[in-house]
């Protein structure tokens, strides 16, 4: 097993400050989104509808990905140029900033002034197989008449927006809509598909005082470790659920929490993060067992999205971060693992998922493949508190570079490509 490098106390304090300042972006981004729409989304919960027409599976679909034969999370990043795209691969990028009207300023790095675009041209190639070429219409066919819901923090919100951008061009303009009703965002592909892609803000998965989509702060975390039903009332009717929860837990090594279902102030105590995370994930697992119908619903859990806060991890002797990185980390004979990814947390969620009896959760281990992508973050070409960085702030990347969130198009597109491969395989099976 790969052993992570342990951070010294001073480094932990720096990491906490960096994470806290960057997470403030999520609050401001959502606040701006509220004012972009005032109408309610047209949600679609489909029951007892006629079976959809069969999907045409190409030879590439049939011979490519099978989780029993290939681990899609082991492989390498390969450069994708116009001469390197074959019938069994997908072009990179699958969309552009200009072609997708649903991207927020936090992720549009090119539009915000990033001078290089090479980070968009890398394609993930699994070691033992090819991912099926991504086809937007086929993705919508696979989830026809269904609700696909992404649940988590601002990293998950980027994955949701990535998936929307990957499929939206296949939907006629008059048959698609995008609505913002915090804590949700909803993209609807109407017409022949009747699909909704949704995002639900829940940074800890369980309930917390940070659940308001705009009025929250990572500095004042209080988590109700055994409370989840308020969230679950929205989740339970989704057909495909994709969960993620990590970076909000990692602000400090300890977290205030309650364990009495009511969040009573007199029952607040301090937990170490690993213990609190384990209890919260067990609450989530119990909710799944009680509420998910495995014959109708599919559940995925995304592993932690890595951070690249210190350049000395991949370039010994340096004193920077992800700013000005234009090339992935080279493995140098063994997998690269940075200090921003916590193996203890990964083992906890793996153990919780492994003990589920009635419901199957597919663990999407995107951490290792994303570790190499130090070049993919928004750095100084994103937002802070709802505004693009000023020239003065951009000139100080050591304090202002965002090495948590990702540019779009970018790395989250690969996560969704792998998710598509799983969904297509499930349909094919």
């Amino acid at each position: 097993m790969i052993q992570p490098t342990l951070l010294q106390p001073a480094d932990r304090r720096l990491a906490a400050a960096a994470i806290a300042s960057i997470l403030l972006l999520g609050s401001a981004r959502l606040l701006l989104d509220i004012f972009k729409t005032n109408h309610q989304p047209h949600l679609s919960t489909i029951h007892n509808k006629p079976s959809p027409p069969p999907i045409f599976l190409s030879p590439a679909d049939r011979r490519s990905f099978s989780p029993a034969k290939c681990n899609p999370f082991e492989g390498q990043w390969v450069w994708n140029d116009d001469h390197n795209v074959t019938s069994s691969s997908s072009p990179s990028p699958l969309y552009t900033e200009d072609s997708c009207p649903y991207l927020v300023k936090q992720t549009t790095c090119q539009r915000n002034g990033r001078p290089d675009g090479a980070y968009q041209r890398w394609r993930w190639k699994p070691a033992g197989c090819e991912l099926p070429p991504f086809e937007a219409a086929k993705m919508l066919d696979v989830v026809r008449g269904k609700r696909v819901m992404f649940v988590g923090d601002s990293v998950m919100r980027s994955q949701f927006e990535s998936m929307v951008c990957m499929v939206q061009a296949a939907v006629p303009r008059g048959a698609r809509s995008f609505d913002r009703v915090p804590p949700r965002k909803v993209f609807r592909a109407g017409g022949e598909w009747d699909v909704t892609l949704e995002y639900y803000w829940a940074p800890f998965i369980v309930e917390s005082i940070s659940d308001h989509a705009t009025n929250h702060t990572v500095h004042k975390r209080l988590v109700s470790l055994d409370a989840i039903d308020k969230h679950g009332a929205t989740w339970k009717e989704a057909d495909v659920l994709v969960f993620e929860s990590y970076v909000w837990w990692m602000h400090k090594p300890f977290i205030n929490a309650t364990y009495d279902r009511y969040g009573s102030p007199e029952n607040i105590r301090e937990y170490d993060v690993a213990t609190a995370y384990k209890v919260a994930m067990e609450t989530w697992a119990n909710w799944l067992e009680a509420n998910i119908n495995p014959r109708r619903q599919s559940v995925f859990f995304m592993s932690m999205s890595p951070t690249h806060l210190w350049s000395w991890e991949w370039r010994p002797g340096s004193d920077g971060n992800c700013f000005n990185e234009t090339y992935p980390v080279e493995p140098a004979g063994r997998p690269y693992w940075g200090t921003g990814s916590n193996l203890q947390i990964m083992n906890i969620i793996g153990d919780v998922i492994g003990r589920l009896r009635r419901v199957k959760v597919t663990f999407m281990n995107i951490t290792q493949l994303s570790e190499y992508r130090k070049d993919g973050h928004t750095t100084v070409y994103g937002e802070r508190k709802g505004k693009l960085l000023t020239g003065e702030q951009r000139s100080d990347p050591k304090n202002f570079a965002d090495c948590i969130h990702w540019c779009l198009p970018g790395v989250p597109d690969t996560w969704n490509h792998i998710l598509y491969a799983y969904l297509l395989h499930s349909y094919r099976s």
Side-chain angles (χ1 to χ4, degrees), residues 44-49 142-149 194 196 198 232-241 287-288 290-300 358-360 423 426-427:
S44 172
T45 303
I46 308 301
H47 297 290
N48 302 319
K49 281 203 169 186
V142 168
V143 294
R144 183 190 299 265
K146 295 182 178 181
R147 291 175 65 184
V148 181
M149 187 175 292
D194 200 14
T196 59
E198 305 179 37
T234 302
W235 304 342
K236 63 172 56 178
E237 295 302 327
D239 299 281
V240 179
L241 282 160
W287 181 88
L288 293 177
N291 292 277
I292 293 299
N293 179 352
R295 297 181 62 183
R296 185 180 71 83
Q297 296 166 290
S298 301
V299 183
F300 297 84
R358 196 179 65 85
V359 177
K360 177 186 176 182
L423 291 170
S426 178
Y427 174 88

